[in-house]
Amino acid sequence: MKKHMHMPPAQGLYDPANEHDNCGVGFIANIKGQKSHGIIERGIEILCNLTHRGAVGADPLDGDGAGLMIQMPDAFYRAGCDFTLPAPGEYGAGLVFLPRDDARRKDCIAVLNRELAGVGCTVLGWREVKTDSSGIGRNARAVEPRVMQVFVGRGTTEVQHLDLLLYLARKRAENAVRNDRLAGEELFYVCSLSSRTVLYKGMLLSEQLNTFYPELNDERLVSAVAFVHQRYSTNTFPTWDLAQPFRYIAHNGEINTLRGNINRMRARTALFAHMDLAEGVADLDPVIIEGSSDTACLDNALELLLVTGRSLAHSLAMLVPEAWASKAHLHAHIKGFFEYHATMMEPWDGPANIVACDGSQVVAILDRNGLRPARYWITDDNEIIYASEAGVLDIAPEKILRKERLAPGKMILIDVERGEFKEDQEIKQELAAAHPYSSWVSEYLIRLDDLPAPATQKVPGLGELRRTQGSFGYSLEEMRVIMAPMALNGQEPVGSMGTDTPVSVLSQQSKLLYWYFKQLFAQITNPPIDPLREEIVMSLTQYLGPARNILMPGPEHCRMLEIEHPIITNDVLEQLRHSDLQNFRGTTLSTLFTATEGPEAMEKAA
């Protein structure tokens, strides 16, 4: 994994790959889209009331991170810039963390300007963002970046493609700065670059946010949405860029499947194609910046899906699906939606309480396990308040129309442009109705029962069975204590003593390859779960087949072979070996090599 620039290198028991965080998230929005400075003030109040969900360093003024996302405050920027801004929606703006060294800062600015011009946009100008670091901790001040804001006109770019090309330009600039080390050991980070939203965040305590950024107190700063996050970087190192919200998302919890998610996204990158990006699609690599936090990685994946054409709700339902497979009451076409997307995107599994905003919509979603709290209230003046817990704002009881909690796997959506509030069923009905997903699954998905049964069953003889068991490391003790109770009674192998089995790398016994690997889980207040006890929210279903371009999906994307779990019997193996369907013709490959030739023999045989 690529080391994050502002984290220490792997040493002793510390590895930056093990970074996780646990936090508080919330927002307030006017459902009818009425903008006011009061929304921002109360958003900051929510943030301050989530202080206990953040962390404080040895210096009590050092925080792990706090941030605020609002809609683009056009009138405020129009009054404060010494250059002319186009009409709202015709330009983008973004807060940028830059090196304090003058030469490095100029180099980073030049690269971003160059890449913005390269996609057909016009750099209108840069604005120095006034900050006050007198009240922040000494560690935060030691690595404090220079904060500036860039304004970008659409130039020759069509309005509907502006955010896509801003994304492409930013990715190219990030790659250039990282590859050429233009920022040195300092920070170059584009907090946001959008035509709809702007982010104010940093390595701050919640109550420091509007003192560090004094302009947040300006009455001219208005928004219909204020989306906040207080970070608790459990067992990790806080940094300026890892404060949340990220460009679209904030999250309370952990992503337990992160390593697999990152690897799968990296594997897909070579297949990317997009009609609006042409050859520029290659510059999106890497989609996920490794060394970032789990939430930052999820934000990278969400951003890719959003800017290439999917809606906010569609992207989140695809990344964080509900437990659809075991729900008999779930409508068939909604199941079809989830099954179609399961063939092309693996779940980003929580626990996760996630809020995402694109400037016109806010979506909140709880993962299918539901191990993080999520509460919301709707008032009689068309406001919705959502947070990781109750009590983040004092609201007169007579003003409250509804008090609700978000259930596992469910989502809510607020569209402040259309003045709409939608709940889970309505959202998913609309997503499922967009395309005939159920028909696509019925036509293209191959299930194991669709394969012909093997002509002969392979039953190993006793001698072959014992040789195989010995080759695969089964001892007499394992056969008696572990395998026999499982085979005879369907019981778990249990014993009264703890295991004293040494880890494979230290064992005196010969171990199989898979004994050297362990499944990784977050280690933060999560109860143990398994697919038997938790079958209502877990599935072991696997999809085999050629991956396709997820940026331009079609019916054939679900042309995959579904198997119910990764453990297959001899009969199933014979079915797969003799499969003769298009794109699913079985081939047997030898994995043998000459062990006496040394360690290089296996690589040579491969």
Side-chain angles (χ1 to χ4, degrees):
M1 176 177 282
K2 186 176 290 186
K3 180 178 77 67
H4 191 281
M5 185 156 304
H6 299 281
M7 291 179 184
Q11 52 189 293
L13 297 178
Y14 171 76
D15 189 322
N18 297 324
E19 298 276 319
H20 296 285
D21 51 65
N22 189 24
C23 328
V25 62
F27 70 83
I28 179 171
N30 185 287
I31 296 172
K32 299 303 180 182
Q34 295 179 0
K35 298 182 179 182
S36 69
H37 184 67
I39 289 284
I40 296 173
E41 288 180 323
R42 283 183 291 159
I44 294 173
E45 185 179 351
I46 292 174
L47 181 64
C48 292
N49 287 333
L50 291 171
T51 296
H52 60 286
R53 285 186 169 267
V56 179
D59 182 339
L61 296 178
D62 272 324
D64 279 5
L68 165 74
M69 178 192 287
I70 60 175
Q71 292 176 302
M72 186 74 73
D74 176 73
F76 173 76
Y77 291 149
R78 200 171 292 279
C81 291
D82 57 3
F83 43 83
T84 302
L85 291 177
E90 301 268 328
Y91 70 94
L95 230 65
V96 186
F97 290 159
L98 291 161
R100 300 200 71 83
D101 178 83
D102 289 342
R104 293 191 182 280
R105 183 169 64 256
K106 289 177 181 177
D107 287 343
C108 292
I109 289 174
V111 167
L112 187 53
N113 286 345
R114 180 190 73 203
E115 299 302 344
L116 288 166
V119 297
C121 295
T122 303
V123 178
L124 302 171
W126 286 78
R127 180 179 78 99
E128 188 88 34
V129 178
K130 186 178 292 186
T131 58
D132 180 0
S133 59
S134 60
I136 68 176
R138 61 178 180 272
N139 292 318
R141 196 181 303 117
V143 291
E144 177 192 356
R146 186 78 166 270
V147 185
M148 297 185 70
Q149 191 171 26
V150 61
F151 291 84
V152 186
R154 69 179 180 89
T156 60
T157 302
E158 296 181 28
V159 172
Q160 65 268 29
H161 296 151
L162 177 56
D163 283 303
L164 173 63
L165 295 182
L166 291 176
Y167 171 64
L168 175 61
R170 195 200 81 228
K171 294 292 290 185
R172 285 173 170 171
E174 287 173 346
N175 291 341
V177 171
R178 182 171 54 249
N179 294 340
D180 296 336
R181 295 190 56 79
L182 298 179
E185 294 303 314
E186 293 193 74
L187 182 61
F188 169 77
Y189 179 76
V190 182
C191 298
S192 61
L193 185 56
S194 166
S195 64
R196 295 179 176 181
T197 60
V198 65
L199 267 169
Y200 293 88
K201 70 175 189 176
M203 190 174 155
L204 307 166
L205 297 169
S206 55
E207 62 267 22
Q208 294 171 344
L209 186 67
N210 62 334
T211 55
F212 184 78
Y213 294 107
E215 64 188 48
L216 290 177
N217 301 307
D218 195 304
E219 293 286 339
R220 295 172 298 175
L221 209 71
V222 296
S223 176
V225 177
F227 168 26
V228 298
H229 185 273
Q230 169 68 68
R231 187 171 187 238
Y232 190 113
S233 52
T234 314
N235 300 326
T236 63
F237 288 89
T239 63
W240 281 82
D241 52 324
L242 293 185
Q244 298 183 38
F246 289 103
R247 296 173 187 110
Y248 288 95
I249 208 169
H251 162 222
N252 169 27
E254 303 84 39
I255 301 299
N256 277 326
T257 53
L258 185 63
R259 172 46 56 193
N261 297 136
I262 291 173
N263 289 343
R264 292 286 295 276
M265 188 61 77
R266 185 192 296 125
R268 295 184 183 102
T269 305
L271 301 173
F272 283 176
H274 195 275
M275 65 178 72
D276 296 320
L277 292 176
E279 294 181 1
V281 76
D283 297 321
L284 303 186
D285 186 26
V287 172
I288 295 175
I289 307 301
E290 292 200 50
S292 301
S293 67
D294 50 354
T295 312
C297 294
L298 176 58
D299 185 76
N300 292 158
L302 176 67
E303 183 178 34
L304 174 75
L305 299 180
L306 279 172
V307 299
T308 53
R310 291 178 174 88
S311 69
L312 195 58
H314 187 166
S315 301
L316 282 170
M318 182 175 169
L319 292 166
V320 190
E322 69 171 290
W324 55 272
S326 60
K327 292 184 177 178
H329 66 278
L330 197 62
H331 197 286
H333 73 285
I334 295 180
K335 273 195 174 183
F337 170 86
F338 282 115
E339 188 162 18
Y340 170 81
H341 288 95
T343 64
M344 58 195 298
M345 177 64 69
E346 71 290 342
W348 290 64
D349 255 348
N353 170 7
I354 296 170
V355 178
C357 178
D358 64 2
S360 61
Q361 294 184 344
V362 185
V363 174
I365 185 170
L366 204 60
D367 79 297
R368 57 190 175 181
N369 293 292
L371 299 178
R372 287 295 179 269
R375 303 285 188 269
Y376 65 92
W377 307 259
I378 298 177
T379 67
D380 60 6
D381 50 1
N382 294 314
E383 288 184 351
I384 179 170
I385 298 95
Y386 175 101
S388 298
E389 59 193 56
V392 292
L393 285 181
D394 289 328
I395 308 170
E398 62 271 17
K399 290 179 62 64
I400 299 173
L401 299 179
R402 291 181 61 184
K403 287 183 179 181
E404 300 284 353
R405 71 177 181 90
L406 207 56
K410 304 304 182 183
M411 62 167 61
I412 56 173
L413 181 150
I414 301 95
D415 190 323
V416 296
E417 284 191 355
R418 296 184 178 181
E420 296 175 340
F421 169 75
K422 296 181 180 180
E423 297 185 76
D424 185 79
Q425 187 69 12
E426 182 181 0
I427 298 167
K428 289 171 182 172
Q429 290 278 8
E430 290 180 0
L431 292 177
H435 295 287
Y437 294 110
S438 295
S439 298
W440 292 353
V441 169
S442 298
E443 181 178 355
Y444 288 96
L445 186 66
I446 304 167
R447 304 185 195 275
L448 205 55
D449 292 343
D450 297 333
L451 300 181
T456 57
Q457 292 186 338
K458 187 175 182 180
V459 180
L462 183 60
E464 182 185 355
L465 178 61
R466 287 182 172 173
R467 282 194 302 274
T468 304
Q469 289 172 340
S471 300
F472 279 79
Y474 287 98
S475 65
L476 185 61
E477 179 184 9
E478 285 175 317
M479 296 301 297
R480 287 177 175 172
V481 178
I482 296 177
M483 300 303 294
M486 295 172 67
L488 294 176
N489 305 314
Q491 294 178 341
E492 287 185 80
V494 294
S496 61
M497 301 296 289
T499 178
D500 59 356
T501 307
V503 294
S504 298
V505 72
L506 301 177
S507 176
Q508 298 291 326
Q509 305 297 321
S510 175
K511 298 287 184 178
L512 295 169
L513 182 64
Y514 55 73
W515 276 91
Y516 289 85
F517 298 89
K518 295 285 186 181
Q519 188 169 4
L520 298 178
F521 289 95
Q523 298 175 352
I524 309 167
T525 66
N526 298 334
I529 57 178
D530 65 65
L532 296 178
R533 293 181 182 86
E534 307 292 336
E535 61 181 347
I536 61 170
V537 294
M538 290 189 71
S539 170
L540 295 178
T541 301
Q542 306 287 308
Y543 297 95
L544 308 178
R548 291 178 172 85
N549 173 29
I550 65 169
L551 303 188
M552 300 179 68
E556 71 286 350
H557 278 61
C558 60
R559 178 71 174 176
M560 305 286 275
L561 172 64
E562 179 189 80
I563 58 174
E564 292 183 357
H565 46 70
I567 307 300
I568 58 177
T569 64
N570 287 336
D571 290 346
V572 172
L573 182 60
E574 290 303 302
Q575 274 185 289
L576 297 176
R577 287 183 62 217
H578 293 95
S579 171
D580 197 30
L581 298 177
Q582 184 180 3
N583 296 329
F584 291 95
R585 292 187 172 90
T587 301
T588 302
L589 300 176
S590 173
T591 58
L592 300 178
F593 61 94
T594 307
T596 55
E597 295 182 5
E600 296 79 14
M602 183 166 65
E603 183 176 357
K604 187 189 301 182

